[in-house]
Amino acid sequence: MTEFERLRINAGVTIVQLAHEADVSRGTIEKIEKGKPVRAVLAARACNALSRYLPRPVTYESLGIKVI
């Protein structure tokens, strides 16, 4: 389990909900959670959306999300 996935689950946010709020596809969130690389701009959007549910903001760099 990736840190991104752990944080999302602990925050109680579904993949579909997070994808909608981040304006990315469900597949993008799934790739992030499987440790596959995604475009940096999409990873940043996903992290910004997830940060709304966390006590501290996160970035794709801080979570070690692979980007292309």
mmCIF file of all heavy atoms in Angstrom, residues 13-44:
data_model
loop_
_atom_site.group_PDB
_atom_site.id
_atom_site.type_symbol
_atom_site.label_atom_id
_atom_site.label_comp_id
_atom_site.label_asym_id
_atom_site.label_seq_id
_atom_site.Cartn_x
_atom_site.Cartn_y
_atom_site.Cartn_z
ATOM 1 N N VAL A 13 -11.976 8.985 2.052
ATOM 2 C CA VAL A 13 -12.331 9.482 0.723
ATOM 3 C C VAL A 13 -12.252 8.327 -0.281
ATOM 4 O O VAL A 13 -11.271 7.583 -0.289
ATOM 5 C CB VAL A 13 -11.368 10.610 0.287
ATOM 6 C CG1 VAL A 13 -11.798 11.219 -1.034
ATOM 7 C CG2 VAL A 13 -11.261 11.676 1.358
ATOM 8 N N THR A 14 -13.261 8.207 -1.124
ATOM 9 C CA THR A 14 -13.231 7.150 -2.138
ATOM 10 C C THR A 14 -12.390 7.591 -3.330
ATOM 11 O O THR A 14 -12.147 8.785 -3.537
ATOM 12 C CB THR A 14 -14.650 6.816 -2.636
ATOM 13 O OG1 THR A 14 -15.165 7.942 -3.348
ATOM 14 C CG2 THR A 14 -15.569 6.426 -1.496
ATOM 15 N N ILE A 15 -11.980 6.610 -4.113
ATOM 16 C CA ILE A 15 -11.214 6.913 -5.329
ATOM 17 C C ILE A 15 -12.038 7.789 -6.261
ATOM 18 O O ILE A 15 -11.540 8.781 -6.799
ATOM 19 C CB ILE A 15 -10.785 5.607 -6.033
ATOM 20 C CG1 ILE A 15 -9.714 4.892 -5.218
ATOM 21 C CG2 ILE A 15 -10.276 5.890 -7.450
ATOM 22 C CD1 ILE A 15 -9.317 3.526 -5.749
ATOM 23 N N VAL A 16 -13.302 7.445 -6.433
ATOM 24 C CA VAL A 16 -14.175 8.198 -7.338
ATOM 25 C C VAL A 16 -14.340 9.641 -6.857
ATOM 26 O O VAL A 16 -14.258 10.588 -7.640
ATOM 27 C CB VAL A 16 -15.548 7.504 -7.475
ATOM 28 C CG1 VAL A 16 -16.527 8.360 -8.242
ATOM 29 C CG2 VAL A 16 -15.382 6.150 -8.147
ATOM 30 N N GLN A 17 -14.566 9.810 -5.565
ATOM 31 C CA GLN A 17 -14.741 11.151 -4.996
ATOM 32 C C GLN A 17 -13.475 11.979 -5.174
ATOM 33 O O GLN A 17 -13.530 13.142 -5.591
ATOM 34 C CB GLN A 17 -15.087 11.036 -3.507
ATOM 35 C CG GLN A 17 -15.286 12.354 -2.809
ATOM 36 C CD GLN A 17 -15.559 12.185 -1.321
ATOM 37 O OE1 GLN A 17 -15.655 11.075 -0.824
ATOM 38 N NE2 GLN A 17 -15.683 13.285 -0.612
ATOM 39 N N LEU A 18 -12.326 11.386 -4.866
ATOM 40 C CA LEU A 18 -11.064 12.115 -4.983
ATOM 41 C C LEU A 18 -10.778 12.470 -6.439
ATOM 42 O O LEU A 18 -10.354 13.591 -6.735
ATOM 43 C CB LEU A 18 -9.918 11.292 -4.399
ATOM 44 C CG LEU A 18 -8.585 12.022 -4.294
ATOM 45 C CD1 LEU A 18 -8.692 13.233 -3.384
ATOM 46 C CD2 LEU A 18 -7.507 11.084 -3.783
ATOM 47 N N ALA A 19 -11.025 11.547 -7.345
ATOM 48 C CA ALA A 19 -10.808 11.812 -8.769
ATOM 49 C C ALA A 19 -11.677 12.972 -9.235
ATOM 50 O O ALA A 19 -11.209 13.852 -9.963
ATOM 51 C CB ALA A 19 -11.095 10.560 -9.592
ATOM 52 N N HIS A 20 -12.920 12.986 -8.806
ATOM 53 C CA HIS A 20 -13.843 14.059 -9.191
ATOM 54 C C HIS A 20 -13.347 15.404 -8.654
ATOM 55 O O HIS A 20 -13.302 16.388 -9.394
ATOM 56 C CB HIS A 20 -15.247 13.751 -8.671
ATOM 57 C CG HIS A 20 -16.229 14.835 -8.939
ATOM 58 N ND1 HIS A 20 -16.743 15.076 -10.194
ATOM 59 C CD2 HIS A 20 -16.783 15.763 -8.119
ATOM 60 C CE1 HIS A 20 -17.571 16.100 -10.129
ATOM 61 N NE2 HIS A 20 -17.614 16.533 -8.876
ATOM 62 N N GLU A 21 -12.978 15.440 -7.383
ATOM 63 C CA GLU A 21 -12.531 16.694 -6.765
ATOM 64 C C GLU A 21 -11.210 17.184 -7.349
ATOM 65 O O GLU A 21 -10.971 18.387 -7.406
ATOM 66 C CB GLU A 21 -12.419 16.531 -5.259
ATOM 67 C CG GLU A 21 -13.766 16.353 -4.604
ATOM 68 C CD GLU A 21 -13.685 16.240 -3.100
ATOM 69 O OE1 GLU A 21 -12.665 16.663 -2.509
ATOM 70 O OE2 GLU A 21 -14.648 15.724 -2.512
ATOM 71 N N ALA A 22 -10.358 16.254 -7.784
ATOM 72 C CA ALA A 22 -9.055 16.625 -8.343
ATOM 73 C C ALA A 22 -9.125 16.881 -9.850
ATOM 74 O O ALA A 22 -8.148 17.320 -10.447
ATOM 75 C CB ALA A 22 -8.039 15.525 -8.065
ATOM 76 N N ASP A 23 -10.277 16.576 -10.456
ATOM 77 C CA ASP A 23 -10.458 16.699 -11.909
ATOM 78 C C ASP A 23 -9.440 15.847 -12.670
ATOM 79 O O ASP A 23 -8.792 16.303 -13.594
ATOM 80 C CB ASP A 23 -10.384 18.170 -12.345
ATOM 81 C CG ASP A 23 -10.899 18.371 -13.765
ATOM 82 O OD1 ASP A 23 -11.739 17.570 -14.224
ATOM 83 O OD2 ASP A 23 -10.443 19.317 -14.430
ATOM 84 N N VAL A 24 -9.307 14.601 -12.185
ATOM 85 C CA VAL A 24 -8.472 13.607 -12.865
ATOM 86 C C VAL A 24 -9.319 12.349 -13.032
ATOM 87 O O VAL A 24 -10.378 12.218 -12.417
ATOM 88 C CB VAL A 24 -7.175 13.280 -12.083
ATOM 89 C CG1 VAL A 24 -6.316 14.514 -11.893
ATOM 90 C CG2 VAL A 24 -7.477 12.630 -10.744
ATOM 91 N N SER A 25 -8.852 11.421 -13.839
ATOM 92 C CA SER A 25 -9.606 10.188 -14.041
ATOM 93 C C SER A 25 -9.424 9.251 -12.849
ATOM 94 O O SER A 25 -8.446 9.350 -12.094
ATOM 95 C CB SER A 25 -9.151 9.482 -15.316
ATOM 96 O OG SER A 25 -7.862 8.932 -15.136
ATOM 97 N N ARG A 26 -10.372 8.350 -12.726
ATOM 98 C CA ARG A 26 -10.268 7.316 -11.688
ATOM 99 C C ARG A 26 -8.993 6.503 -11.912
ATOM 100 O O ARG A 26 -8.305 6.121 -10.973
ATOM 101 C CB ARG A 26 -11.512 6.431 -11.761
ATOM 102 C CG ARG A 26 -11.502 5.293 -10.811
ATOM 103 C CD ARG A 26 -12.761 4.476 -10.955
ATOM 104 N NE ARG A 26 -12.607 3.236 -10.223
ATOM 105 C CZ ARG A 26 -13.468 2.261 -10.219
ATOM 106 N NH1 ARG A 26 -14.567 2.360 -10.911
ATOM 107 N NH2 ARG A 26 -13.237 1.177 -9.534
ATOM 108 N N GLY A 27 -8.670 6.252 -13.164
ATOM 109 C CA GLY A 27 -7.473 5.502 -13.511
ATOM 110 C C GLY A 27 -6.199 6.166 -13.020
ATOM 111 O O GLY A 27 -5.241 5.484 -12.648
ATOM 112 N N THR A 28 -6.177 7.490 -13.021
ATOM 113 C CA THR A 28 -5.007 8.214 -12.528
ATOM 114 C C THR A 28 -4.800 7.938 -11.045
ATOM 115 O O THR A 28 -3.675 7.658 -10.608
ATOM 116 C CB THR A 28 -5.154 9.728 -12.783
ATOM 117 O OG1 THR A 28 -5.208 9.950 -14.189
ATOM 118 C CG2 THR A 28 -3.997 10.506 -12.186
ATOM 119 N N ILE A 29 -5.877 8.001 -10.268
ATOM 120 C CA ILE A 29 -5.769 7.716 -8.831
ATOM 121 C C ILE A 29 -5.322 6.271 -8.628
ATOM 122 O O ILE A 29 -4.463 5.980 -7.786
ATOM 123 C CB ILE A 29 -7.111 7.972 -8.112
ATOM 124 C CG1 ILE A 29 -7.577 9.426 -8.303
ATOM 125 C CG2 ILE A 29 -7.008 7.604 -6.633
ATOM 126 C CD1 ILE A 29 -6.667 10.480 -7.731
ATOM 127 N N GLU A 30 -5.877 5.358 -9.419
ATOM 128 C CA GLU A 30 -5.502 3.947 -9.289
ATOM 129 C C GLU A 30 -4.030 3.734 -9.629
ATOM 130 O O GLU A 30 -3.346 2.950 -8.971
ATOM 131 C CB GLU A 30 -6.406 3.088 -10.165
ATOM 132 C CG GLU A 30 -7.828 3.028 -9.639
ATOM 133 C CD GLU A 30 -8.812 2.374 -10.582
ATOM 134 O OE1 GLU A 30 -8.471 2.154 -11.769
ATOM 135 O OE2 GLU A 30 -9.941 2.085 -10.137
ATOM 136 N N LYS A 31 -3.532 4.428 -10.650
ATOM 137 C CA LYS A 31 -2.104 4.312 -10.996
ATOM 138 C C LYS A 31 -1.228 4.809 -9.854
ATOM 139 O O LYS A 31 -0.218 4.182 -9.514
ATOM 140 C CB LYS A 31 -1.788 5.122 -12.262
ATOM 141 C CG LYS A 31 -2.184 4.459 -13.544
ATOM 142 C CD LYS A 31 -1.754 5.324 -14.712
ATOM 143 C CE LYS A 31 -2.154 4.717 -16.031
ATOM 144 N NZ LYS A 31 -1.731 5.576 -17.155
ATOM 145 N N ILE A 32 -1.599 5.942 -9.280
ATOM 146 C CA ILE A 32 -0.829 6.487 -8.153
ATOM 147 C C ILE A 32 -0.782 5.458 -7.022
ATOM 148 O O ILE A 32 0.273 5.216 -6.437
ATOM 149 C CB ILE A 32 -1.445 7.816 -7.659
ATOM 150 C CG1 ILE A 32 -1.240 8.923 -8.707
ATOM 151 C CG2 ILE A 32 -0.844 8.230 -6.323
ATOM 152 C CD1 ILE A 32 -2.008 10.203 -8.430
ATOM 153 N N GLU A 33 -1.922 4.848 -6.747
ATOM 154 C CA GLU A 33 -1.987 3.897 -5.636
ATOM 155 C C GLU A 33 -1.268 2.586 -5.935
ATOM 156 O O GLU A 33 -0.916 1.857 -5.014
ATOM 157 C CB GLU A 33 -3.445 3.656 -5.243
ATOM 158 C CG GLU A 33 -4.056 4.908 -4.645
ATOM 159 C CD GLU A 33 -5.397 4.703 -3.989
ATOM 160 O OE1 GLU A 33 -5.949 3.589 -4.062
ATOM 161 O OE2 GLU A 33 -5.891 5.673 -3.390
ATOM 162 N N LYS A 34 -1.041 2.291 -7.206
ATOM 163 C CA LYS A 34 -0.290 1.088 -7.574
ATOM 164 C C LYS A 34 1.199 1.388 -7.731
ATOM 165 O O LYS A 34 1.979 0.504 -8.064
ATOM 166 C CB LYS A 34 -0.837 0.507 -8.875
ATOM 167 C CG LYS A 34 -2.218 -0.103 -8.715
ATOM 168 C CD LYS A 34 -2.741 -0.611 -10.038
ATOM 169 C CE LYS A 34 -4.155 -1.147 -9.872
ATOM 170 N NZ LYS A 34 -4.770 -1.479 -11.161
ATOM 171 N N GLY A 35 1.584 2.649 -7.535
ATOM 172 C CA GLY A 35 2.986 3.029 -7.645
ATOM 173 C C GLY A 35 3.460 3.223 -9.071
ATOM 174 O O GLY A 35 4.656 3.242 -9.335
ATOM 175 N N LYS A 36 2.513 3.381 -10.002
ATOM 176 C CA LYS A 36 2.873 3.602 -11.400
ATOM 177 C C LYS A 36 3.009 5.103 -11.661
ATOM 178 O O LYS A 36 2.333 5.911 -11.019
ATOM 179 C CB LYS A 36 1.808 3.005 -12.319
ATOM 180 C CG LYS A 36 1.707 1.500 -12.206
ATOM 181 C CD LYS A 36 0.674 0.945 -13.149
ATOM 182 C CE LYS A 36 0.629 -0.579 -13.049
ATOM 183 N NZ LYS A 36 -0.408 -1.141 -13.920
ATOM 184 N N PRO A 37 3.864 5.490 -12.604
ATOM 185 C CA PRO A 37 4.053 6.922 -12.869
ATOM 186 C C PRO A 37 2.853 7.558 -13.577
ATOM 187 O O PRO A 37 2.188 6.923 -14.394
ATOM 188 C CB PRO A 37 5.297 6.962 -13.763
ATOM 189 C CG PRO A 37 5.411 5.604 -14.354
ATOM 190 C CD PRO A 37 4.762 4.652 -13.390
ATOM 191 N N VAL A 38 2.594 8.813 -13.209
ATOM 192 C CA VAL A 38 1.554 9.621 -13.844
ATOM 193 C C VAL A 38 2.151 10.988 -14.158
ATOM 194 O O VAL A 38 3.231 11.328 -13.666
ATOM 195 C CB VAL A 38 0.313 9.785 -12.931
ATOM 196 C CG1 VAL A 38 -0.355 8.450 -12.659
ATOM 197 C CG2 VAL A 38 0.660 10.476 -11.632
ATOM 198 N N ARG A 39 1.461 11.765 -14.964
ATOM 199 C CA ARG A 39 1.945 13.115 -15.273
ATOM 200 C C ARG A 39 1.994 13.945 -13.990
ATOM 201 O O ARG A 39 1.098 13.859 -13.146
ATOM 202 C CB ARG A 39 1.039 13.779 -16.303
ATOM 203 C CG ARG A 39 1.191 13.150 -17.678
ATOM 204 C CD ARG A 39 0.382 13.793 -18.788
ATOM 205 N NE ARG A 39 0.028 15.173 -18.580
ATOM 206 C CZ ARG A 39 -1.186 15.677 -18.837
ATOM 207 N NH1 ARG A 39 -2.140 14.905 -19.313
ATOM 208 N NH2 ARG A 39 -1.434 16.949 -18.638
ATOM 209 N N ALA A 40 3.026 14.762 -13.864
ATOM 210 C CA ALA A 40 3.240 15.550 -12.649
ATOM 211 C C ALA A 40 2.048 16.448 -12.338
ATOM 212 O O ALA A 40 1.643 16.579 -11.172
ATOM 213 C CB ALA A 40 4.516 16.373 -12.772
ATOM 214 N N VAL A 41 1.467 17.060 -13.343
ATOM 215 C CA VAL A 41 0.337 17.966 -13.107
ATOM 216 C C VAL A 41 -0.857 17.210 -12.526
ATOM 217 O O VAL A 41 -1.571 17.728 -11.659
ATOM 218 C CB VAL A 41 -0.045 18.737 -14.394
ATOM 219 C CG1 VAL A 41 -0.590 17.801 -15.463
ATOM 220 C CG2 VAL A 41 -1.045 19.838 -14.096
ATOM 221 N N LEU A 42 -1.070 15.974 -12.948
ATOM 222 C CA LEU A 42 -2.170 15.168 -12.428
ATOM 223 C C LEU A 42 -1.887 14.724 -10.994
ATOM 224 O O LEU A 42 -2.785 14.727 -10.142
ATOM 225 C CB LEU A 42 -2.429 13.964 -13.325
ATOM 226 C CG LEU A 42 -2.784 14.285 -14.785
ATOM 227 C CD1 LEU A 42 -3.013 13.003 -15.570
ATOM 228 C CD2 LEU A 42 -3.987 15.200 -14.865
ATOM 229 N N ALA A 43 -0.652 14.354 -10.726
ATOM 230 C CA ALA A 43 -0.261 13.974 -9.367
ATOM 231 C C ALA A 43 -0.438 15.164 -8.420
ATOM 232 O O ALA A 43 -0.913 15.006 -7.289
ATOM 233 C CB ALA A 43 1.179 13.477 -9.343
ATOM 234 N N ALA A 44 -0.081 16.359 -8.887
ATOM 235 C CA ALA A 44 -0.228 17.562 -8.067
ATOM 236 C C ALA A 44 -1.699 17.834 -7.766
ATOM 237 O O ALA A 44 -2.056 18.170 -6.631
ATOM 238 C CB ALA A 44 0.409 18.755 -8.774
#
